[in-house]
Amino acid sequence: MNSDSRIYKILNLYPEKMNMYGDTGNAIILKKRIELRGYKAEIIDYNIGDNLPSQFDILTTGGGMDSSQAELAADLQKIGPSIKKFADNGGAILAICGMYQLFGKYFQTRKGEKIPGIGVFNIWTEAGDKRIIGNIITESERFGKLIGYENHSGKTYLEKNAHPLAEQVTLGIGNGDLAHKTEGVIYKNSIGTYLHGPLLAKNPQISDFLIQSVISKELSPIKSIDQITIKARNVASKLSR
Ligand code: GLN
């Protein structure tokens, strides 16, 4: 066990409404990977009406239905300024799909309703007329191959000063802005992406990027898990759509 007795806090936003595709698994994976390095970690769930903890180290949040996004919108606006300040100060965030959309400027539903976001990312999203569903593989200059599963109708557009998480989509659609064929967004230590899976199960490089932004000491490899992860990635990278 490390001499660092601090308990690293993973804040998991809206698991009651936004865990339709199992993205809460990302919080569980981060906790485990922190503990396997000899540190302590805990997951704090935050749902509509809860008190936002005054301090947390990593924020995770997942995907869900348009209706769930509308139901939590007012509550999200209340905590939005604190989350944006956390991101602007280099806080570690992983926002998946529906919450990726709401961490941008807005998500416009198929009925034309604009659900306001909190402006962590300089993006906006418009629901398309059909769902984008299937395996997805992307190539990121910074993180290499990212593998997952996508299920969304939203098409996400990046402002000129926003940086995609992955510059190329080699299988699937991703953001859906066909003029640029990118996937996700990254801002300081905050990541938004359409990749479900949960994402971190097959992409440990993202897990350790988020953890390393919080724990300054170099992270030791986790041979026991990462050998399995490599096998899973090898299988997944051969999947078709
Ligand atoms: N409701 C949003 C869409 O369809 C987000 C979906 C999701 O979170 N998987 O684009």
Side-chain angles (χ1 to χ4, degrees):
M1 184 61 76
N2 275 287
S3 56
D4 176 353
S5 59
R6 179 174 160 191
I7 299 177
Y8 290 90
K9 295 179 180 169
I10 301 159
L11 178 69
N12 191 33
L13 276 192
Y14 303 121
E16 287 176 0
K17 292 280 179 193
M18 301 302 281
N19 185 32
M20 192 171 178
Y21 307 87
D23 297 315
T24 283
N26 290 321
I28 296 167
I29 291 164
L30 286 168
K31 178 175 184 291
K32 190 69 183 166
R33 290 184 75 87
I34 290 170
E35 290 170 342
L36 285 170
R37 269 78 180 228
Y39 299 96
K40 294 179 191 146
E42 65 174 343
I43 297 171
I44 303 167
D45 285 349
Y46 172 93
N47 289 293
I48 295 173
D50 289 350
N51 292 320
L52 188 72
S54 56
Q55 191 278 328
F56 47 89
D57 296 292
I58 303 176
L59 184 154
T60 59
T61 188
M65 301 183 291
D66 294 20
S67 55
S68 298
Q69 290 172 282
E71 286 161 18
L72 62 83
D75 186 83
L76 179 61
Q77 287 303 312
K78 286 184 198 144
I79 62 174
S82 303
I83 295 172
K84 178 152 174 36
K85 187 177 172 195
F86 174 74
D88 290 345
N89 290 337
I93 291 176
L94 179 61
I96 308 291
C97 206
M99 289 308 291
Y100 161 35
Q101 297 170 344
L102 294 185
F103 273 40
K105 298 191 168 183
Y106 63 81
F107 168 57
Q108 182 173 294
T109 69
R110 283 191 66 185
K111 295 174 190 154
E113 176 198 9
K114 271 190 182 178
I115 302 174
I118 59 173
V120 166
F121 302 127
N122 287 330
I123 62 159
W124 72 98
T125 303
E126 297 167 0
D129 55 8
K130 62 178 182 163
R131 294 204 71 77
I132 300 165
I133 299 175
N135 295 309
I136 178 169
I137 298 173
T138 71
E139 290 294 341
S140 161
E141 286 168 17
R142 186 166 180 184
F143 297 104
K145 191 185 297 286
L146 299 173
I147 300 168
Y149 181 87
E150 63 183 329
N151 184 330
H152 56 103
S153 75
K155 294 180 179 177
T156 294
Y157 302 89
L158 277 61
E159 303 273 4
K160 285 196 177 13
N161 61 354
H163 301 284
L165 174 64
E167 295 77 11
Q168 275 193 329
V169 178
T170 53
L171 176 70
I173 302 295
N175 286 329
D177 172 1
L178 298 182
H180 301 93
K181 281 284 276 177
T182 62
E183 206 305 293
V185 71
I186 183 167
Y187 165 66
K188 296 188 175 186
N189 294 318
S190 295
I191 288 175
T193 176
Y194 276 113
L195 272 65
H196 295 295
L199 172 78
L200 300 183
K202 287 201 274 292
N203 301 281
Q205 67 273 43
I206 301 290
S207 298
D208 288 351
F209 163 75
L210 295 167
I211 296 168
Q212 194 75 86
S213 72
V214 178
I215 295 176
S216 51
K217 274 193 189 157
E218 188 179 348
L219 297 176
S220 55
I222 310 177
K223 289 195 175 63
S224 56
I225 288 187
D226 290 345
Q227 280 161 357
I228 299 168
T229 307
I230 289 167
K231 285 184 183 153
R233 285 171 60 83
N234 287 341
V235 170
S237 59
K238 297 182 179 71
L239 290 174
S240 59
R241 186 61 173 161

